[in-house]
Amino acid sequence: MSKSNTAMSLRGVILWCVWLCLLQVSLGAVRHYKFEVKYRYGEPDCEEKVVMGINGQFPCPTIRAKAGDTLHIAVTNKLVTEGTVIHWHGIRQYGTPWADGTASISQCAIAPGETFHYRFTVDKAGTYFYHGHYGMQRTAGLYGSLIVDLAKGKKEAFDYDGEFNLLLSDWWHKSSHEQQVALSSIPFRWINEPQSLLINGRGQHNCSLAANAMNTSLPQCKFRGNEECAPQIFHVHPNKTYRIRIASTTSLASLNLAIGNHKLVVVEADGNYVKPFTVDDIDIYSGETYSVLLTTNQDPKKNYWISVGVRGRKPNTPQGLTILNYKTISASIFPTSPPPITPQWDDYNHSKTFTHKIIARKGTRKPPQHYDRRLLLLNTQNLVDGNTKWAINNVSLVLPSTPYLGSIKFNVNGSFGTKSPPNTFSEDHDIYNPPLNPNSNIGSGVYMFQLNQVVDVILQNANVMKGQNSEIHPWHLHGHDFWVLGYGDGKFQQGDERKFNLKNPPLRNTAVIFPYGWTALRFKADNPGVWAFHCHIASHLYMGMGVIFAEGVLNVKRIPREAVACGLLKKVLINKKHN
């Protein structure tokens, strides 16, 4: 071979290698995980209880990937007596709606002893988490962090020197099974407030971490070498900036987080950049995630409290505490100042002030100026055959045995309600008082959207069934981000559209409705699949507080047989296989 031909061949090999490298970068890596879901004994708050975990870990293992990576997670159900699924909260699942992890909606529950393979791409950097979406398994401890970093070569919109995660949750001493029985009983038995608040799966019950340094009425916490409930200390260097990723997996509690003597700069919400703003504390509702920047510019000869307290409900749960340790002193030295005081639980103006500060960072995708379809969804507490339920437009959601995704894709009749749920509610409904007729209906119908339709959803809050009270509800949408166009007090009126922010509304996947108020959302139905939209309070969803959206389902390709082969579809798919 001549020198020129050899050189050309060598250049060809080099170009081929470069092309392969670029292709690998563009496609991202494939990251493999093997998860075994099962119960074990644990002491999250220093009292031994049954805990649900993955691979023997609670909280469940942290997943970390880069934007563009594909996750292949083999989940094996080791629970023996119940099914399970895992929802990847905030991941939009473009092209893989069957991997959303919602039992009876996107897939069959994974039966005991069986393995289901979740394969999906994490397309957008941000702070996310994952959790059980079957019954109330999230309440039992089935949750963990999912962090998606920027793709290689990309740069964050803000600078920081290090980072750490805060996974926040609430914890009961009653099992999730006992709670489900209580919620389904006649007469109704409420689950009451959690016994503890956990920070990264660790909390303290019936004692106060602060009692070691402050004069409190509760006894000091003595861990006796128990690492399961000993607080995780966060170590920092002076005069540095840290990114704190915060996710709330709570089943009930709305929370407030503060760090003694330190300001927090909010930079990310639900995987989307926001215009940075500075606060003393943040309110975070179930299903929400944030990134905040913390600058360690305080006295380096002191340590400081990280405090989490209950908001929106009269708290019977003590603050969750841990310590921010400046590495210039020992982590065993307790802060000299008391923990930050959580704002009054019903100081909703504090919550609204924080929430209204969240607007999109410059360069964020803007919403369409007009909608194609509007839903007004009234949130009410009702009775169905004597059972206390939550209902949307007088319909309490009951999920079918056959997943919606398979039923619609394969045109299976009789698997869910064919009647479309109501688009609105009666103008005569008095949101400030208990309903005159508390009786409601159950339903399994679906809101069907045309592909790429622009949909507005107005969430309307109201009074509960008895007494004078309206509860906070954080609503989470699967498969999409939505623009939060605005909030308002009282009943939504046509003229309230003038209050909508169409200039720089934040993109979120979870949004709160305040007591006796409304929240306006807009999204584009551009993700073929069937998607849950529901209150993220576990007991409320269990009691029917959700709706189902479907769009472009016939466009969905390559649904794995094991995802939907249950209920009425089991025979259909078996026959197709043999024919």
Side-chain angles (χ1 to χ4, degrees):
M1 185 181 288
S2 68
K3 288 185 178 179
S4 60
N5 286 340
T6 302
M8 287 176 65
S9 176
L10 184 60
R11 280 198 299 272
V13 170
I14 292 172
L15 287 171
W16 175 250
C17 291
V18 169
W19 182 82
L20 281 178
C21 290
L22 289 173
L23 181 64
Q24 181 63 37
V25 169
S26 65
L27 293 178
V30 179
R31 301 181 185 271
H32 297 270
Y33 293 86
K34 288 185 178 180
F35 280 3
E36 291 190 348
V37 179
K38 57 185 172 182
Y39 291 107
R40 69 174 181 86
Y41 284 107
E43 299 182 35
D45 65 356
C46 301
E47 290 199 15
E48 187 177 72
K49 299 293 173 185
V50 171
V51 183
M52 186 175 279
I54 288 176
N55 299 345
Q57 295 183 42
F58 170 78
C60 302
T62 295
I63 295 173
R64 191 135 202 166
K66 292 185 182 297
D69 286 352
T70 296
L71 296 181
H72 178 185
I73 305 168
V75 176
T76 301
N77 181 359
K78 295 279 189 175
L79 297 177
V80 181
T81 60
E82 60 189 293
T84 193
V85 293
I86 295 180
H87 168 55
W88 317 96
H89 186 105
I91 305 302
R92 294 176 292 185
Q93 300 292 352
Y94 283 122
T96 52
W98 48 266
D100 189 46
T102 47
S104 297
I105 302 170
S106 63
Q107 70 168 106
C108 307
I110 307 168
E114 293 188 353
T115 298
F116 184 81
H117 293 265
Y118 291 97
R119 297 181 182 88
F120 57 92
T121 299
V122 287
D123 65 315
K124 184 161 63 76
T127 304
Y128 308 103
F129 62 98
Y130 63 91
H131 60 82
H133 216 290
Y134 181 84
M136 291 178 65
Q137 291 180 350
R138 173 160 54 99
T139 306
L142 187 53
Y143 48 77
S145 294
L146 199 171
I147 307 300
V148 181
D149 294 306
L150 287 171
K152 189 175 181 180
K154 301 286 186 179
K155 189 177 185 304
E156 286 285 9
F158 40 84
D159 296 320
Y160 54 96
D161 302 298
E163 72 171 60
F164 52 91
N165 297 341
L166 295 180
L167 187 64
L168 309 180
S169 54
D170 42 13
W171 184 248
W172 279 261
H173 291 170
K174 284 184 179 178
S175 73
S176 60
H177 297 113
E178 190 174 353
Q179 291 184 42
Q180 287 177 198
V181 172
L183 294 170
S184 304
S185 294
I186 301 176
F188 176 70
R189 299 186 186 187
W190 178 234
I191 61 174
N192 294 316
E193 305 305 305
Q195 276 64 64
S196 308
L197 300 178
L198 307 183
I199 300 174
N200 289 356
R202 302 180 181 199
Q204 297 80 44
H205 177 249
N206 206 27
C207 69
S208 172
L209 187 62
N212 293 275
M214 310 295 157
N215 182 19
T216 72
S217 58
L218 284 172
Q220 295 183 15
C221 297
K222 297 177 181 177
F223 303 108
R224 299 180 297 280
N226 188 341
E227 285 301 314
E228 276 202 74
C229 61
Q232 182 180 350
I233 308 297
F234 295 94
H235 307 283
V236 295
H237 292 282
N239 300 312
K240 299 289 184 182
T241 297
Y242 291 85
R243 178 184 191 168
I244 309 176
R245 297 181 183 267
I246 309 163
S248 175
T249 72
T250 57
S251 289
L252 176 66
S254 302
L255 301 176
N256 178 271
L257 180 139
I259 300 178
N261 288 37
H262 290 75
K263 299 284 187 182
L264 304 173
V265 181
V266 181
V267 292
E268 178 211 346
D270 294 351
N272 295 285
Y273 291 137
V274 299
K275 184 178 180 180
F277 62 97
T278 303
V279 291
D280 294 319
D281 56 81
I282 73 166
D283 278 356
I284 180 167
Y285 301 96
S286 178
E288 292 187 327
T289 67
Y290 289 98
S291 281
V292 299
L293 300 181
L294 169 85
T295 300
T296 52
N297 54 9
Q298 297 302 301
D299 186 348
K301 297 177 182 177
K302 293 182 178 180
N303 289 324
Y304 301 88
W305 291 112
I306 299 176
S307 170
V308 179
V310 172
R311 301 280 283 118
R313 305 182 65 88
K314 194 170 184 178
N316 291 312
T317 310
Q319 285 175 289
L321 296 172
T322 188
I323 291 173
L324 185 76
N325 163 239
Y326 276 62
K327 286 188 175 182
T328 42
I329 64 168
S330 170
S332 64
I333 297 175
F334 279 82
T336 55
S337 299
I341 297 173
T342 302
Q344 177 72 18
W345 70 272
D346 58 354
D347 181 1
Y348 297 116
N349 286 332
H350 184 93
S351 303
K352 292 174 184 178
T353 298
F354 171 77
T355 303
H356 294 166
K357 288 180 179 178
I358 303 172
I359 59 175
R361 192 181 182 101
K362 187 177 180 180
T364 300
R365 188 163 45 100
K366 294 183 182 295
Q369 291 297 298
H370 305 284
Y371 66 88
D372 301 312
R373 185 173 174 187
R374 171 174 285 176
L375 304 178
L376 284 86
L377 303 183
L378 176 69
N379 295 236
T380 55
Q381 198 178 50
N382 297 82
L383 289 176
V384 177
D385 297 329
N387 289 102
T388 300
K389 296 285 189 179
W390 285 94
I392 305 303
N393 291 353
N394 213 42
V395 178
S396 184
L397 179 65
V398 174
L399 296 174
S401 58
T402 307
Y404 289 101
L405 181 64
S407 296
I408 299 171
K409 172 69 176 177
F410 298 109
N411 195 27
V412 176
N413 295 322
S415 60
F416 63 89
T418 55
K419 184 179 178 182
S420 180
N423 287 339
T424 187
F425 58 92
S426 171
E427 292 183 5
D428 297 331
H429 188 92
D430 180 2
I431 68 167
Y432 294 104
N433 289 294
L436 295 175
N437 179 6
N439 294 304
S440 186
N441 304 297
I442 60 171
S444 58
V446 179
Y447 290 101
M448 299 281 193
F449 303 131
Q450 296 176 15
L451 196 60
N452 294 317
Q453 214 173 11
V454 177
V455 181
D456 273 13
V457 178
I458 312 297
L459 292 165
Q460 177 68 62
N461 216 338
N463 202 85
V464 294
M465 193 164 50
K466 296 179 181 178
Q468 297 297 137
N469 182 35
S470 181
E471 297 188 16
I472 277 180
H473 300 290
W475 274 76
H476 171 59
L477 177 59
H478 293 229
H480 307 76
D481 285 342
F482 50 69
W483 292 275
V484 183
L485 301 185
Y487 306 86
D489 298 323
K491 188 185 288 188
F492 179 79
Q493 309 289 338
Q494 277 310 119
D496 288 329
E497 291 185 10
R498 293 192 296 269
K499 302 174 186 175
F500 286 0
N501 174 15
L502 296 174
K503 179 183 177 184
N504 54 5
L507 271 171
R508 306 290 304 264
N509 61 57
T510 305
V512 64
I513 31 173
F514 292 106
Y516 303 111
W518 55 264
T519 297
L521 316 174
R522 180 170 293 176
F523 71 97
K524 193 171 184 180
D526 58 359
N527 191 4
V530 184
W531 310 104
F533 181 45
H534 61 89
C535 177
H536 208 261
I537 293 173
S539 52
H540 291 184
L541 175 58
Y542 183 77
M543 296 161 65
M545 198 173 193
V547 294
I548 304 298
F549 293 162
E551 63 213 51
V553 177
L554 297 183
N555 295 33
V556 177
K557 308 296 183 186
R558 297 182 298 277
I559 301 176
R561 186 178 299 271
E562 63 271 23
V564 293
C566 57
L568 296 178
L569 260 173
K570 192 170 186 178
K571 280 187 177 180
V572 172
L573 292 177
I574 289 173
N575 290 338
K576 282 191 174 184
K577 184 178 182 181
H578 291 305
N579 293 334

